[in-house]
Coordinates of all heavy atoms in Angstrom, one line a residue:
F1 N 112.7 86.9 86.0 CA 112.8 88.3 86.3 C 113.8 88.6 87.4 O 114.0 87.7 88.3 CB 111.4 88.8 86.8 CG 110.3 88.6 85.7 CD1 109.5 87.5 85.7 CD2 110.1 89.5 84.8 CE1 108.6 87.2 84.8 CE2 109.1 89.3 83.8 CZ 108.3 88.2 83.8
T2 N 114.3 89.8 87.5 CA 115.1 90.3 88.6 C 114.1 91.2 89.4 O 113.5 92.1 88.8 CB 116.3 91.1 88.1 OG1 117.1 90.2 87.3 CG2 117.1 91.6 89.2
L3 N 114.0 90.9 90.7 CA 113.1 91.7 91.5 C 113.9 92.4 92.6 O 114.9 91.8 93.2 CB 112.1 90.8 92.2 CG 110.9 90.4 91.4 CD1 111.2 89.6 90.2 CD2 109.9 89.7 92.3
Q4 N 113.6 93.6 92.8 CA 114.1 94.4 93.9 C 113.0 94.9 94.8 O 112.1 95.6 94.3 CB 114.9 95.6 93.4 CG 115.5 96.5 94.4 CD 116.6 95.8 95.2 OE1 117.4 95.1 94.7 NE2 116.6 96.0 96.5
P5 N 112.9 94.5 96.1 CA 111.8 95.0 96.9 C 111.8 96.5 97.0 O 112.8 97.2 97.0 CB 112.2 94.4 98.3 CG 113.0 93.2 98.0 CD 113.8 93.6 96.8
V6 N 110.6 97.0 97.0 CA 110.4 98.5 97.0 C 110.8 99.0 98.4 O 111.5 100.0 98.6 CB 109.0 98.9 96.7 CG1 108.7 100.3 96.9 CG2 108.7 98.5 95.2
L7 N 110.4 98.2 99.5 CA 110.7 98.5 100.8 C 111.9 97.7 101.3 O 112.2 96.7 100.8 CB 109.5 98.2 101.8 CG 108.2 98.9 101.4 CD1 107.1 98.4 102.3 CD2 108.4 100.4 101.6
E8 N 112.6 98.3 102.2 CA 113.8 97.5 102.8 C 113.2 96.4 103.6 O 112.3 96.6 104.5 CB 114.6 98.4 103.7 CG 115.9 97.8 104.0 CD 116.9 98.8 104.6 OE1 117.0 99.9 104.1 OE2 117.6 98.4 105.6
I9 N 113.7 95.2 103.4 CA 113.2 94.0 104.1 C 114.4 93.3 104.7 O 115.5 93.4 104.2 CB 112.4 93.1 103.2 CG1 113.2 92.6 102.0 CG2 111.1 93.7 102.7 CD1 112.6 91.5 101.2
E10 N 114.1 92.5 105.7 CA 115.1 91.7 106.4 C 115.3 90.3 105.8 O 116.3 89.7 106.0 CB 114.9 91.7 107.9 CG 115.1 93.1 108.5 CD 114.9 93.0 110.0 OE1 115.0 91.9 110.6 OE2 114.7 94.1 110.6
E11 N 114.2 89.8 105.2 CA 114.2 88.5 104.7 C 114.7 88.4 103.2 O 114.9 89.4 102.6 CB 112.9 87.8 104.8 CG 111.8 88.6 104.0 CD 110.4 88.1 104.4 OE1 110.1 86.9 104.5 OE2 109.5 89.0 104.6
E12 N 115.0 87.2 102.8 CA 115.5 87.0 101.4 C 114.4 87.4 100.4 O 113.2 87.2 100.7 CB 115.8 85.5 101.2 CG 117.0 85.1 101.9 CD 118.3 85.7 101.4 OE1 118.5 85.8 100.2 OE2 119.2 86.1 102.3
C13 N 114.8 87.9 99.3 CA 113.8 88.3 98.2 C 112.8 87.1 97.9 O 111.6 87.4 97.7 CB 114.5 88.8 97.0 SG 113.5 89.5 95.7
A14 N 113.4 85.9 97.7 CA 112.5 84.8 97.3 C 111.5 84.5 98.4 O 110.3 84.2 98.1 CB 113.4 83.6 97.1
D15 N 111.9 84.6 99.7 CA 110.9 84.4 100.8 C 109.9 85.5 100.8 O 108.7 85.2 101.0 CB 111.7 84.3 102.1 CG 112.6 83.1 102.2 OD1 112.4 82.1 101.5 OD2 113.5 83.2 103.1
Y16 N 110.3 86.7 100.6 CA 109.3 87.8 100.6 C 108.4 87.7 99.4 O 107.1 87.9 99.6 CB 110.1 89.1 100.5 CG 109.2 90.4 100.5 CD1 108.3 90.6 101.5 CD2 109.4 91.3 99.6 CE1 107.5 91.7 101.5 CE2 108.6 92.5 99.6 CZ 107.6 92.7 100.6 OH 106.9 93.8 100.6
L17 N 108.9 87.3 98.3 CA 108.0 87.1 97.1 C 107.0 86.0 97.3 O 105.8 86.1 97.1 CB 108.9 86.8 95.9 CG 108.1 86.4 94.6 CD1 107.2 87.6 94.1 CD2 109.1 86.0 93.5
T18 N 107.4 84.9 97.9 CA 106.5 83.8 98.3 C 105.4 84.3 99.2 O 104.3 83.9 99.0 CB 107.3 82.6 98.9 OG1 108.3 82.2 97.9 CG2 106.4 81.4 99.2
E19 N 105.8 85.1 100.2 CA 104.9 85.6 101.2 C 103.8 86.5 100.5 O 102.6 86.4 100.8 CB 105.7 86.4 102.2 CG 104.9 86.8 103.4 CD 105.8 87.5 104.4 OE1 106.8 86.9 104.9 OE2 105.5 88.7 104.7
V20 N 104.3 87.4 99.6 CA 103.4 88.3 98.8 C 102.4 87.5 98.0 O 101.2 87.7 98.0 CB 104.2 89.2 97.9 CG1 103.3 89.9 96.9 CG2 105.0 90.2 98.8
I21 N 102.9 86.4 97.3 CA 102.0 85.6 96.5 C 101.0 84.9 97.3 O 99.8 84.8 97.1 CB 102.8 84.6 95.6 CG1 103.6 85.4 94.6 CG2 101.9 83.6 94.9 CD1 104.7 84.6 93.8
Y22 N 101.5 84.3 98.4 CA 100.7 83.5 99.4 C 99.5 84.4 99.9 O 98.4 84.0 99.9 CB 101.5 82.9 100.5 CG 100.7 82.2 101.6 CD1 100.4 80.9 101.4 CD2 100.2 82.9 102.7 CE1 99.7 80.2 102.4 CE2 99.5 82.3 103.6 CZ 99.2 80.9 103.5 OH 98.4 80.3 104.4
S23 N 99.9 85.6 100.4 CA 98.9 86.5 101.0 C 97.8 86.8 100.0 O 96.6 86.9 100.3 CB 99.6 87.7 101.5 OG 100.4 87.4 102.6
E24 N 98.2 87.1 98.8 CA 97.2 87.5 97.8 C 96.4 86.4 97.3 O 95.1 86.5 97.2 CB 97.9 88.1 96.5 CG 97.0 88.8 95.6 CD 96.1 89.9 96.1 OE1 96.6 90.6 97.1 OE2 95.0 90.1 95.6
M25 N 96.9 85.2 97.2 CA 96.1 84.0 96.8 C 95.1 83.7 97.9 O 94.0 83.4 97.6 CB 97.0 82.8 96.6 CG 97.5 82.7 95.2 SD 98.0 81.1 94.6 CE 99.5 80.9 95.4
R26 N 95.5 83.7 99.2 CA 94.6 83.4 100.3 C 93.5 84.4 100.3 O 92.3 84.1 100.5 CB 95.4 83.4 101.6 CG 96.3 82.2 101.8 CD 95.7 80.9 101.7 NE 94.9 80.6 102.9 CZ 94.2 79.5 103.2 NH1 94.2 78.6 102.3 NH2 93.5 79.4 104.3
A27 N 93.8 85.7 100.1 CA 92.8 86.8 100.1 C 91.8 86.6 99.0 O 90.6 86.7 99.2 CB 93.5 88.1 100.1
R28 N 92.3 86.3 97.8 CA 91.4 86.2 96.7 C 90.5 85.0 96.8 O 89.3 85.0 96.5 CB 92.2 86.0 95.4 CG 93.0 87.2 95.0 CD 92.3 88.6 95.1 NE 91.1 88.6 94.4 CZ 90.2 89.6 94.4 NH1 90.4 90.6 95.2 NH2 89.1 89.6 93.8
V29 N 91.0 83.8 97.3 CA 90.2 82.7 97.6 C 89.1 83.0 98.7 O 88.0 82.6 98.5 CB 91.0 81.4 97.9 CG1 90.2 80.3 98.4 CG2 91.9 81.0 96.7
A30 N 89.6 83.6 99.7 CA 88.7 84.0 100.8 C 87.6 84.9 100.3 O 86.4 84.9 100.8 CB 89.4 84.6 102.0

């Protein structure tokens, strides 16, 4: 997939995507 962040971000798209996935996984497990 090609991803474009909805909000303007300062980090790389791949890093932001990893952060989004990480946060959701941690929340769901918790």
Side-chain angles (χ1 to χ4, degrees):
F1 302 93
T2 301
L3 277 65
Q4 178 65 42
V6 173
L7 302 174
E8 192 167 319
I9 59 170
E10 293 184 18
E11 59 193 313
E12 292 291 319
C13 185
D15 293 338
Y16 181 53
L17 175 60
T18 301
E19 191 177 300
V20 166
I21 294 170
Y22 175 88
S23 296
E24 189 59 28
M25 273 203 282
R26 292 299 287 181
R28 296 312 308 170
V29 170

